[in-house]
Amino acid sequence: QKEVEQNSGPLSVPEGAIASLNCTYSDRGSQSFFWYRQYSGKSPELIMFIYSNGDKEDGRFTAQLNKASQYVSLLIRDSQPSDSATYLCAVLTGGGNKLTFGTGTQLKVEL
Amino acid sequence: DADVTQTPRNRITKTGKRIMLECSQTKGHDRMYWYRQDPGLGLRLIYYSFDVKDINKGEISDGYSVSRQAQAKFSLSLESAIPNQTALYFCATSDFGSSGADPQETQYFGPGTRLLVL
């Protein structure tokens, strides 16, 4: 079982819709969770982090964490073509010393 | 100026050649990392360093070596390049446990080096 799993996609949504990206992790001791966005050929950039169970909102982005289910998600409201990118889920594991990345979900927002 | 820089940005080399990729940062972070990214495999950790005197192997360190010359500089070497080391390489930094606004282990990535080994 991979430590951090994501559906590779592509996930296609129409412009203006809500995009829902999901991630599961295997280390129950994980405490910190991150979402990075990566445009093709570019470096990953942090868009959200979450520590506590529940929802965290930042503009059009909402991160959701359920530690009991070992599940973290990212919702993007009012999706725009500029949101088209690969979204990487990352989990702080190994006692807080290692950031493990999922393989990413490719999101395509269609006009 | 960018906080994390990598040189070169693109490199083509031949099998068996020794090459070095360099990373510099102006963020004042103690922790630095080298990753490679391959299609479908995501980011994989090669080596990491928590301070100048600390070097640790990541999940795919075979065929690579690193040097932490200073807090701000972390270089990655391929002693004898092979074609399956063709990939996109990223350097990253973090300031674990800082009292700043960023959470623990937020990593900041350089622009990447695209390496092709023929």
Side-chain angles (χ1 to χ4, degrees):
Chain A
Q1 180 186 7
K2 293 182 181 178
E3 292 185 70
V4 180
E5 294 204 51
Q6 297 180 255
N7 187 318
S8 62
L11 171 66
S12 294
V13 300
E15 184 178 7
I18 296 175
S20 177
L21 304 164
N22 304 314
C23 173
T24 58
Y25 60 95
S26 61
D27 183 352
R28 283 197 169 274
S30 301
Q31 294 295 318
S32 305
F33 307 86
F34 304 81
W35 284 99
Y36 283 80
R37 178 176 62 200
Q38 186 177 24
Y39 293 111
S40 181
K42 303 297 185 182
S43 57
E45 56 177 330
L46 180 72
I47 53 173
M48 289 285 291
F49 62 89
I50 187 167
Y51 298 144
S52 304
N53 275 328
D55 295 358
K56 180 182 178 182
E57 186 174 319
D58 183 0
R60 294 187 297 113
F61 298 98
T62 299
Q64 299 176 318
L65 175 61
N66 183 326
K67 290 186 178 180
S69 299
Q70 295 176 242
Y71 176 95
V72 57
S73 65
L74 179 70
L75 301 178
I76 306 174
R77 290 182 299 282
D78 188 23
S79 295
Q80 301 296 310
S82 59
D83 294 326
S84 297
T86 296
Y87 290 80
L88 304 173
C89 172
V91 178
L92 194 60
T93 59
N97 287 326
K98 178 183 172 187
L99 194 61
T100 301
F101 288 84
T103 54
T105 298
Q106 185 184 4
L107 173 66
K108 293 184 177 180
V109 180
E110 300 169 334
L111 294 172
Chain B
D1 288 341
D3 294 322
V4 185
T5 57
Q6 292 183 233
T7 56
R9 294 293 312 278
N10 294 279
R11 179 73 184 269
I12 300 174
T13 191
K14 294 182 179 179
T15 297
K17 294 291 187 182
R18 181 182 188 278
I19 66 164
M20 180 183 290
L21 309 182
E22 298 186 339
C23 176
S24 294
Q25 53 113 347
T26 58
K27 298 185 77 66
H29 290 170
D30 288 328
R31 296 188 170 192
M32 299 187 73
Y33 309 81
W34 276 105
Y35 294 91
R36 65 176 280 177
Q37 188 173 41
D38 302 272
L41 295 178
L43 284 163
R44 293 184 292 167
L45 184 63
I46 306 172
Y47 270 96
Y48 60 103
S49 169
F50 286 172
D51 63 41
V52 175
K53 298 180 181 179
D54 176 78
I55 301 289
N56 304 281
K57 292 182 178 181
E59 58 183 305
I60 54 162
S61 58
D62 287 349
Y64 301 94
S65 62
V66 291
S67 174
R68 184 80 184 267
Q69 301 96 321
Q71 186 205 35
K73 296 183 182 295
F74 192 36
S75 59
L76 175 72
S77 294
L78 286 68
E79 298 300 326
S80 180
I82 55 177
N84 77 1
Q85 290 178 313
T86 293
L88 184 55
Y89 289 83
F90 288 107
C91 173
T93 74
S94 72
D95 191 14
F96 183 84
S98 75
S99 59
D102 293 330
Q104 290 183 346
E105 203 47 46
T106 295
Q107 293 193 8
Y108 295 89
F109 287 81
T113 295
R114 193 170 295 278
L115 175 65
L116 173 61
V117 183
L118 299 174

PDB file of all heavy atoms in Angstrom, chain A residues 15-48:
ATOM      1  N   GLU A  15     -16.050  24.820 -16.395  1.00  0.00           N
ATOM      2  CA  GLU A  15     -15.775  26.096 -15.744  1.00  0.00           C
ATOM      3  C   GLU A  15     -16.946  26.490 -14.851  1.00  0.00           C
ATOM      4  O   GLU A  15     -18.116  26.360 -15.230  1.00  0.00           O
ATOM      5  CB  GLU A  15     -15.536  27.183 -16.802  1.00  0.00           C
ATOM      6  CG  GLU A  15     -15.150  28.522 -16.233  1.00  0.00           C
ATOM      7  CD  GLU A  15     -14.883  29.556 -17.313  1.00  0.00           C
ATOM      8  OE1 GLU A  15     -15.125  29.250 -18.501  1.00  0.00           O
ATOM      9  OE2 GLU A  15     -14.430  30.664 -16.965  1.00  0.00           O
ATOM     10  N   GLY A  16     -16.620  26.946 -13.639  1.00  0.00           N
ATOM     11  CA  GLY A  16     -17.646  27.360 -12.693  1.00  0.00           C
ATOM     12  C   GLY A  16     -18.112  26.261 -11.756  1.00  0.00           C
ATOM     13  O   GLY A  16     -18.777  26.532 -10.763  1.00  0.00           O
ATOM     14  N   ALA A  17     -17.749  25.027 -12.042  1.00  0.00           N
ATOM     15  CA  ALA A  17     -18.165  23.899 -11.205  1.00  0.00           C
ATOM     16  C   ALA A  17     -17.221  23.746 -10.009  1.00  0.00           C
ATOM     17  O   ALA A  17     -16.195  24.429  -9.894  1.00  0.00           O
ATOM     18  CB  ALA A  17     -18.180  22.621 -12.028  1.00  0.00           C
ATOM     19  N   ILE A  18     -17.596  22.828  -9.113  1.00  0.00           N
ATOM     20  CA  ILE A  18     -16.733  22.494  -7.975  1.00  0.00           C
ATOM     21  C   ILE A  18     -15.887  21.280  -8.343  1.00  0.00           C
ATOM     22  O   ILE A  18     -16.409  20.250  -8.778  1.00  0.00           O
ATOM     23  CB  ILE A  18     -17.570  22.179  -6.724  1.00  0.00           C
ATOM     24  CG1 ILE A  18     -18.349  23.405  -6.273  1.00  0.00           C
ATOM     25  CG2 ILE A  18     -16.665  21.683  -5.590  1.00  0.00           C
ATOM     26  CD1 ILE A  18     -19.300  23.146  -5.108  1.00  0.00           C
ATOM     27  N   ALA A  19     -14.598  21.412  -8.168  1.00  0.00           N
ATOM     28  CA  ALA A  19     -13.688  20.280  -8.377  1.00  0.00           C
ATOM     29  C   ALA A  19     -13.361  19.676  -7.018  1.00  0.00           C
ATOM     30  O   ALA A  19     -13.063  20.402  -6.065  1.00  0.00           O
ATOM     31  CB  ALA A  19     -12.414  20.738  -9.075  1.00  0.00           C
ATOM     32  N   SER A  20     -13.436  18.358  -6.931  1.00  0.00           N
ATOM     33  CA  SER A  20     -13.164  17.658  -5.673  1.00  0.00           C
ATOM     34  C   SER A  20     -12.014  16.689  -5.874  1.00  0.00           C
ATOM     35  O   SER A  20     -12.080  15.776  -6.698  1.00  0.00           O
ATOM     36  CB  SER A  20     -14.422  16.895  -5.234  1.00  0.00           C
ATOM     37  OG  SER A  20     -14.163  16.155  -4.050  1.00  0.00           O
ATOM     38  N   LEU A  21     -10.948  16.920  -5.132  1.00  0.00           N
ATOM     39  CA  LEU A  21      -9.737  16.113  -5.250  1.00  0.00           C
ATOM     40  C   LEU A  21      -9.534  15.359  -3.936  1.00  0.00           C
ATOM     41  O   LEU A  21      -9.662  15.945  -2.864  1.00  0.00           O
ATOM     42  CB  LEU A  21      -8.536  17.014  -5.526  1.00  0.00           C
ATOM     43  CG  LEU A  21      -8.689  17.917  -6.758  1.00  0.00           C
ATOM     44  CD1 LEU A  21      -7.664  19.027  -6.743  1.00  0.00           C
ATOM     45  CD2 LEU A  21      -8.575  17.102  -8.028  1.00  0.00           C
ATOM     46  N   ASN A  22      -9.194  14.100  -4.041  1.00  0.00           N
ATOM     47  CA  ASN A  22      -9.140  13.253  -2.862  1.00  0.00           C
ATOM     48  C   ASN A  22      -7.769  12.621  -2.654  1.00  0.00           C
ATOM     49  O   ASN A  22      -7.024  12.382  -3.616  1.00  0.00           O
ATOM     50  CB  ASN A  22     -10.187  12.144  -2.987  1.00  0.00           C
ATOM     51  CG  ASN A  22     -11.567  12.708  -3.208  1.00  0.00           C
ATOM     52  OD1 ASN A  22     -11.980  13.639  -2.539  1.00  0.00           O
ATOM     53  ND2 ASN A  22     -12.298  12.154  -4.174  1.00  0.00           N
ATOM     54  N   CYS A  23      -7.501  12.305  -1.399  1.00  0.00           N
ATOM     55  CA  CYS A  23      -6.207  11.743  -1.031  1.00  0.00           C
ATOM     56  C   CYS A  23      -6.404  10.873   0.209  1.00  0.00           C
ATOM     57  O   CYS A  23      -7.107  11.271   1.141  1.00  0.00           O
ATOM     58  CB  CYS A  23      -5.243  12.893  -0.742  1.00  0.00           C
ATOM     59  SG  CYS A  23      -3.631  12.443  -0.072  1.00  0.00           S
ATOM     60  N   THR A  24      -5.810   9.695   0.209  1.00  0.00           N
ATOM     61  CA  THR A  24      -5.805   8.857   1.410  1.00  0.00           C
ATOM     62  C   THR A  24      -4.369   8.593   1.818  1.00  0.00           C
ATOM     63  O   THR A  24      -3.453   8.625   0.988  1.00  0.00           O
ATOM     64  CB  THR A  24      -6.533   7.522   1.180  1.00  0.00           C
ATOM     65  OG1 THR A  24      -5.897   6.821   0.096  1.00  0.00           O
ATOM     66  CG2 THR A  24      -7.997   7.736   0.849  1.00  0.00           C
ATOM     67  N   TYR A  25      -4.170   8.334   3.113  1.00  0.00           N
ATOM     68  CA  TYR A  25      -2.825   8.116   3.622  1.00  0.00           C
ATOM     69  C   TYR A  25      -2.826   6.942   4.578  1.00  0.00           C
ATOM     70  O   TYR A  25      -3.859   6.596   5.165  1.00  0.00           O
ATOM     71  CB  TYR A  25      -2.280   9.374   4.287  1.00  0.00           C
ATOM     72  CG  TYR A  25      -3.095   9.873   5.456  1.00  0.00           C
ATOM     73  CD1 TYR A  25      -2.766   9.511   6.755  1.00  0.00           C
ATOM     74  CD2 TYR A  25      -4.196  10.703   5.259  1.00  0.00           C
ATOM     75  CE1 TYR A  25      -3.512   9.957   7.830  1.00  0.00           C
ATOM     76  CE2 TYR A  25      -4.953  11.148   6.324  1.00  0.00           C
ATOM     77  CZ  TYR A  25      -4.608  10.782   7.599  1.00  0.00           C
ATOM     78  OH  TYR A  25      -5.352  11.216   8.673  1.00  0.00           O
ATOM     79  N   SER A  26      -1.669   6.334   4.769  1.00  0.00           N
ATOM     80  CA  SER A  26      -1.609   5.094   5.546  1.00  0.00           C
ATOM     81  C   SER A  26      -1.091   5.273   6.975  1.00  0.00           C
ATOM     82  O   SER A  26      -1.389   4.456   7.844  1.00  0.00           O
ATOM     83  CB  SER A  26      -0.734   4.072   4.821  1.00  0.00           C
ATOM     84  OG  SER A  26       0.581   4.569   4.669  1.00  0.00           O
ATOM     85  N   ASP A  27      -0.326   6.328   7.227  1.00  0.00           N
ATOM     86  CA  ASP A  27       0.279   6.508   8.551  1.00  0.00           C
ATOM     87  C   ASP A  27      -0.710   7.220   9.481  1.00  0.00           C
ATOM     88  O   ASP A  27      -0.936   8.425   9.357  1.00  0.00           O
ATOM     89  CB  ASP A  27       1.573   7.313   8.409  1.00  0.00           C
ATOM     90  CG  ASP A  27       2.308   7.483   9.734  1.00  0.00           C
ATOM     91  OD1 ASP A  27       1.759   7.122  10.796  1.00  0.00           O
ATOM     92  OD2 ASP A  27       3.443   7.994   9.717  1.00  0.00           O
ATOM     93  N   ARG A  28      -1.256   6.472  10.436  1.00  0.00           N
ATOM     94  CA  ARG A  28      -2.246   7.054  11.349  1.00  0.00           C
ATOM     95  C   ARG A  28      -1.659   8.144  12.234  1.00  0.00           C
ATOM     96  O   ARG A  28      -2.389   8.951  12.785  1.00  0.00           O
ATOM     97  CB  ARG A  28      -2.848   5.961  12.239  1.00  0.00           C
ATOM     98  CG  ARG A  28      -3.869   5.113  11.557  1.00  0.00           C
ATOM     99  CD  ARG A  28      -4.730   4.347  12.563  1.00  0.00           C
ATOM    100  NE  ARG A  28      -5.875   3.722  11.906  1.00  0.00           N
ATOM    101  CZ  ARG A  28      -7.022   4.342  11.687  1.00  0.00           C
ATOM    102  NH1 ARG A  28      -7.189   5.596  12.064  1.00  0.00           N
ATOM    103  NH2 ARG A  28      -8.021   3.719  11.084  1.00  0.00           N
ATOM    104  N   GLY A  29      -0.346   8.155  12.365  1.00  0.00           N
ATOM    105  CA  GLY A  29       0.291   9.172  13.193  1.00  0.00           C
ATOM    106  C   GLY A  29       0.525  10.485  12.489  1.00  0.00           C
ATOM    107  O   GLY A  29       1.042  11.430  13.086  1.00  0.00           O
ATOM    108  N   SER A  30       0.143  10.573  11.236  1.00  0.00           N
ATOM    109  CA  SER A  30       0.369  11.793  10.469  1.00  0.00           C
ATOM    110  C   SER A  30      -0.410  12.957  11.073  1.00  0.00           C
ATOM    111  O   SER A  30      -1.552  12.800  11.500  1.00  0.00           O
ATOM    112  CB  SER A  30      -0.054  11.596   9.015  1.00  0.00           C
ATOM    113  OG  SER A  30       0.663  10.542   8.426  1.00  0.00           O
ATOM    114  N   GLN A  31       0.250  14.116  11.104  1.00  0.00           N
ATOM    115  CA  GLN A  31      -0.349  15.267  11.772  1.00  0.00           C
ATOM    116  C   GLN A  31      -0.619  16.447  10.849  1.00  0.00           C
ATOM    117  O   GLN A  31      -1.462  17.282  11.137  1.00  0.00           O
ATOM    118  CB  GLN A  31       0.566  15.730  12.909  1.00  0.00           C
ATOM    119  CG  GLN A  31       0.702  14.725  14.039  1.00  0.00           C
ATOM    120  CD  GLN A  31      -0.605  14.505  14.772  1.00  0.00           C
ATOM    121  OE1 GLN A  31      -1.343  15.443  15.042  1.00  0.00           O
ATOM    122  NE2 GLN A  31      -0.908  13.247  15.069  1.00  0.00           N
ATOM    123  N   SER A  32       0.163  16.538   9.779  1.00  0.00           N
ATOM    124  CA  SER A  32       0.066  17.731   8.922  1.00  0.00           C
ATOM    125  C   SER A  32      -0.132  17.303   7.483  1.00  0.00           C
ATOM    126  O   SER A  32       0.484  16.339   7.018  1.00  0.00           O
ATOM    127  CB  SER A  32       1.349  18.561   9.031  1.00  0.00           C
ATOM    128  OG  SER A  32       1.621  18.890  10.368  1.00  0.00           O
ATOM    129  N   PHE A  33      -0.985  18.073   6.790  1.00  0.00           N
ATOM    130  CA  PHE A  33      -1.387  17.679   5.446  1.00  0.00           C
ATOM    131  C   PHE A  33      -1.362  18.902   4.548  1.00  0.00           C
ATOM    132  O   PHE A  33      -1.791  19.985   4.943  1.00  0.00           O
ATOM    133  CB  PHE A  33      -2.793  17.066   5.493  1.00  0.00           C
ATOM    134  CG  PHE A  33      -2.893  15.957   6.498  1.00  0.00           C
ATOM    135  CD1 PHE A  33      -3.174  16.237   7.826  1.00  0.00           C
ATOM    136  CD2 PHE A  33      -2.662  14.645   6.127  1.00  0.00           C
ATOM    137  CE1 PHE A  33      -3.229  15.230   8.767  1.00  0.00           C
ATOM    138  CE2 PHE A  33      -2.721  13.623   7.059  1.00  0.00           C
ATOM    139  CZ  PHE A  33      -3.003  13.918   8.389  1.00  0.00           C
ATOM    140  N   PHE A  34      -0.856  18.711   3.354  1.00  0.00           N
ATOM    141  CA  PHE A  34      -0.611  19.831   2.461  1.00  0.00           C
ATOM    142  C   PHE A  34      -1.167  19.529   1.072  1.00  0.00           C
ATOM    143  O   PHE A  34      -1.154  18.395   0.618  1.00  0.00           O
ATOM    144  CB  PHE A  34       0.901  20.081   2.325  1.00  0.00           C
ATOM    145  CG  PHE A  34       1.603  20.317   3.638  1.00  0.00           C
ATOM    146  CD1 PHE A  34       1.966  19.259   4.457  1.00  0.00           C
ATOM    147  CD2 PHE A  34       1.912  21.599   4.052  1.00  0.00           C
ATOM    148  CE1 PHE A  34       2.615  19.479   5.680  1.00  0.00           C
ATOM    149  CE2 PHE A  34       2.562  21.832   5.260  1.00  0.00           C
ATOM    150  CZ  PHE A  34       2.913  20.770   6.061  1.00  0.00           C
ATOM    151  N   TRP A  35      -1.609  20.570   0.412  1.00  0.00           N
ATOM    152  CA  TRP A  35      -1.954  20.491  -1.008  1.00  0.00           C
ATOM    153  C   TRP A  35      -1.055  21.443  -1.787  1.00  0.00           C
ATOM    154  O   TRP A  35      -0.979  22.625  -1.468  1.00  0.00           O
ATOM    155  CB  TRP A  35      -3.417  20.852  -1.249  1.00  0.00           C
ATOM    156  CG  TRP A  35      -4.364  19.757  -0.867  1.00  0.00           C
ATOM    157  CD1 TRP A  35      -5.087  19.650   0.285  1.00  0.00           C
ATOM    158  CD2 TRP A  35      -4.681  18.603  -1.646  1.00  0.00           C
ATOM    159  NE1 TRP A  35      -5.840  18.508   0.271  1.00  0.00           N
ATOM    160  CE2 TRP A  35      -5.618  17.844  -0.910  1.00  0.00           C
ATOM    161  CE3 TRP A  35      -4.292  18.144  -2.905  1.00  0.00           C
ATOM    162  CZ2 TRP A  35      -6.157  16.647  -1.387  1.00  0.00           C
ATOM    163  CZ3 TRP A  35      -4.826  16.959  -3.372  1.00  0.00           C
ATOM    164  CH2 TRP A  35      -5.745  16.219  -2.621  1.00  0.00           C
ATOM    165  N   TYR A  36      -0.384  20.885  -2.787  1.00  0.00           N
ATOM    166  CA  TYR A  36       0.445  21.670  -3.679  1.00  0.00           C
ATOM    167  C   TYR A  36      -0.177  21.634  -5.073  1.00  0.00           C
ATOM    168  O   TYR A  36      -0.743  20.634  -5.501  1.00  0.00           O
ATOM    169  CB  TYR A  36       1.863  21.079  -3.771  1.00  0.00           C
ATOM    170  CG  TYR A  36       2.756  21.361  -2.585  1.00  0.00           C
ATOM    171  CD1 TYR A  36       2.650  20.613  -1.417  1.00  0.00           C
ATOM    172  CD2 TYR A  36       3.716  22.364  -2.651  1.00  0.00           C
ATOM    173  CE1 TYR A  36       3.477  20.869  -0.334  1.00  0.00           C
ATOM    174  CE2 TYR A  36       4.555  22.630  -1.568  1.00  0.00           C
ATOM    175  CZ  TYR A  36       4.427  21.876  -0.418  1.00  0.00           C
ATOM    176  OH  TYR A  36       5.251  22.135   0.638  1.00  0.00           O
ATOM    177  N   ARG A  37      -0.014  22.721  -5.782  1.00  0.00           N
ATOM    178  CA  ARG A  37      -0.442  22.798  -7.175  1.00  0.00           C
ATOM    179  C   ARG A  37       0.803  22.852  -8.047  1.00  0.00           C
ATOM    180  O   ARG A  37       1.759  23.569  -7.748  1.00  0.00           O
ATOM    181  CB  ARG A  37      -1.279  24.056  -7.417  1.00  0.00           C
ATOM    182  CG  ARG A  37      -1.736  24.272  -8.847  1.00  0.00           C
ATOM    183  CD  ARG A  37      -2.619  25.492  -8.936  1.00  0.00           C
ATOM    184  NE  ARG A  37      -1.901  26.694  -8.537  1.00  0.00           N
ATOM    185  CZ  ARG A  37      -2.507  27.833  -8.146  1.00  0.00           C
ATOM    186  NH1 ARG A  37      -3.827  27.903  -8.106  1.00  0.00           N
ATOM    187  NH2 ARG A  37      -1.783  28.874  -7.819  1.00  0.00           N
ATOM    188  N   GLN A  38       0.782  22.105  -9.148  1.00  0.00           N
ATOM    189  CA  GLN A  38       1.922  22.097 -10.044  1.00  0.00           C
ATOM    190  C   GLN A  38       1.439  22.236 -11.479  1.00  0.00           C
ATOM    191  O   GLN A  38       0.755  21.349 -12.001  1.00  0.00           O
ATOM    192  CB  GLN A  38       2.742  20.804  -9.881  1.00  0.00           C
ATOM    193  CG  GLN A  38       4.020  20.801 -10.693  1.00  0.00           C
ATOM    194  CD  GLN A  38       4.859  19.559 -10.480  1.00  0.00           C
ATOM    195  OE1 GLN A  38       4.361  18.512 -10.088  1.00  0.00           O
ATOM    196  NE2 GLN A  38       6.150  19.672 -10.725  1.00  0.00           N
ATOM    197  N   TYR A  39       1.825  23.333 -12.099  1.00  0.00           N
ATOM    198  CA  TYR A  39       1.559  23.499 -13.524  1.00  0.00           C
ATOM    199  C   TYR A  39       2.610  22.721 -14.309  1.00  0.00           C
ATOM    200  O   TYR A  39       3.719  22.495 -13.830  1.00  0.00           O
ATOM    201  CB  TYR A  39       1.593  24.967 -13.915  1.00  0.00           C
ATOM    202  CG  TYR A  39       0.476  25.782 -13.315  1.00  0.00           C
ATOM    203  CD1 TYR A  39       0.720  26.750 -12.346  1.00  0.00           C
ATOM    204  CD2 TYR A  39      -0.839  25.586 -13.725  1.00  0.00           C
ATOM    205  CE1 TYR A  39      -0.307  27.500 -11.800  1.00  0.00           C
ATOM    206  CE2 TYR A  39      -1.878  26.333 -13.183  1.00  0.00           C
ATOM    207  CZ  TYR A  39      -1.601  27.280 -12.220  1.00  0.00           C
ATOM    208  OH  TYR A  39      -2.631  28.013 -11.674  1.00  0.00           O
ATOM    209  N   SER A  40       2.236  22.322 -15.499  1.00  0.00           N
ATOM    210  CA  SER A  40       3.103  21.488 -16.323  1.00  0.00           C
ATOM    211  C   SER A  40       4.478  22.127 -16.511  1.00  0.00           C
ATOM    212  O   SER A  40       4.589  23.289 -16.941  1.00  0.00           O
ATOM    213  CB  SER A  40       2.452  21.254 -17.690  1.00  0.00           C
ATOM    214  OG  SER A  40       3.266  20.431 -18.488  1.00  0.00           O
ATOM    215  N   GLY A  41       5.522  21.387 -16.147  1.00  0.00           N
ATOM    216  CA  GLY A  41       6.888  21.869 -16.316  1.00  0.00           C
ATOM    217  C   GLY A  41       7.357  22.839 -15.259  1.00  0.00           C
ATOM    218  O   GLY A  41       8.488  23.332 -15.318  1.00  0.00           O
ATOM    219  N   LYS A  42       6.497  23.128 -14.289  1.00  0.00           N
ATOM    220  CA  LYS A  42       6.840  24.087 -13.232  1.00  0.00           C
ATOM    221  C   LYS A  42       7.016  23.372 -11.895  1.00  0.00           C
ATOM    222  O   LYS A  42       6.762  22.185 -11.775  1.00  0.00           O
ATOM    223  CB  LYS A  42       5.744  25.158 -13.112  1.00  0.00           C
ATOM    224  CG  LYS A  42       5.485  25.918 -14.397  1.00  0.00           C
ATOM    225  CD  LYS A  42       6.690  26.711 -14.843  1.00  0.00           C
ATOM    226  CE  LYS A  42       6.367  27.552 -16.062  1.00  0.00           C
ATOM    227  NZ  LYS A  42       7.581  28.295 -16.534  1.00  0.00           N
ATOM    228  N   SER A  43       7.436  24.122 -10.894  1.00  0.00           N
ATOM    229  CA  SER A  43       7.643  23.531  -9.577  1.00  0.00           C
ATOM    230  C   SER A  43       6.360  23.559  -8.759  1.00  0.00           C
ATOM    231  O   SER A  43       5.474  24.385  -8.986  1.00  0.00           O
ATOM    232  CB  SER A  43       8.759  24.275  -8.842  1.00  0.00           C
ATOM    233  OG  SER A  43       8.467  25.641  -8.735  1.00  0.00           O
ATOM    234  N   PRO A  44       6.234  22.653  -7.813  1.00  0.00           N
ATOM    235  CA  PRO A  44       5.054  22.649  -6.943  1.00  0.00           C
ATOM    236  C   PRO A  44       5.000  23.906  -6.084  1.00  0.00           C
ATOM    237  O   PRO A  44       6.033  24.409  -5.628  1.00  0.00           O
ATOM    238  CB  PRO A  44       5.259  21.404  -6.069  1.00  0.00           C
ATOM    239  CG  PRO A  44       6.228  20.556  -6.817  1.00  0.00           C
ATOM    240  CD  PRO A  44       7.122  21.516  -7.528  1.00  0.00           C
ATOM    241  N   GLU A  45       3.793  24.399  -5.851  1.00  0.00           N
ATOM    242  CA  GLU A  45       3.602  25.552  -4.979  1.00  0.00           C
ATOM    243  C   GLU A  45       2.498  25.219  -3.981  1.00  0.00           C
ATOM    244  O   GLU A  45       1.462  24.646  -4.349  1.00  0.00           O
ATOM    245  CB  GLU A  45       3.257  26.814  -5.771  1.00  0.00           C
ATOM    246  CG  GLU A  45       2.047  26.684  -6.662  1.00  0.00           C
ATOM    247  CD  GLU A  45       1.686  27.968  -7.364  1.00  0.00           C
ATOM    248  OE1 GLU A  45       1.941  29.058  -6.814  1.00  0.00           O
ATOM    249  OE2 GLU A  45       1.128  27.874  -8.489  1.00  0.00           O
ATOM    250  N   LEU A  46       2.716  25.591  -2.734  1.00  0.00           N
ATOM    251  CA  LEU A  46       1.757  25.292  -1.678  1.00  0.00           C
ATOM    252  C   LEU A  46       0.506  26.145  -1.837  1.00  0.00           C
ATOM    253  O   LEU A  46       0.584  27.355  -2.026  1.00  0.00           O
ATOM    254  CB  LEU A  46       2.386  25.574  -0.305  1.00  0.00           C
ATOM    255  CG  LEU A  46       1.490  25.299   0.884  1.00  0.00           C
ATOM    256  CD1 LEU A  46       1.309  23.794   1.069  1.00  0.00           C
ATOM    257  CD2 LEU A  46       2.077  25.920   2.150  1.00  0.00           C
ATOM    258  N   ILE A  47      -0.670  25.490  -1.759  1.00  0.00           N
ATOM    259  CA  ILE A  47      -1.909  26.252  -1.791  1.00  0.00           C
ATOM    260  C   ILE A  47      -2.708  26.125  -0.496  1.00  0.00           C
ATOM    261  O   ILE A  47      -3.441  27.046  -0.141  1.00  0.00           O
ATOM    262  CB  ILE A  47      -2.796  25.880  -3.000  1.00  0.00           C
ATOM    263  CG1 ILE A  47      -3.045  24.381  -3.100  1.00  0.00           C
ATOM    264  CG2 ILE A  47      -2.175  26.379  -4.287  1.00  0.00           C
ATOM    265  CD1 ILE A  47      -4.051  24.017  -4.164  1.00  0.00           C
ATOM    266  N   MET A  48      -2.573  25.009   0.200  1.00  0.00           N
ATOM    267  CA  MET A  48      -3.343  24.825   1.430  1.00  0.00           C
ATOM    268  C   MET A  48      -2.600  23.885   2.368  1.00  0.00           C
ATOM    269  O   MET A  48      -1.892  22.989   1.910  1.00  0.00           O
ATOM    270  CB  MET A  48      -4.703  24.190   1.157  1.00  0.00           C
ATOM    271  CG  MET A  48      -5.729  25.059   0.468  1.00  0.00           C
ATOM    272  SD  MET A  48      -6.453  26.289   1.544  1.00  0.00           S
ATOM    273  CE  MET A  48      -7.436  25.275   2.656  1.00  0.00           C
TER     274      MET A  48
END
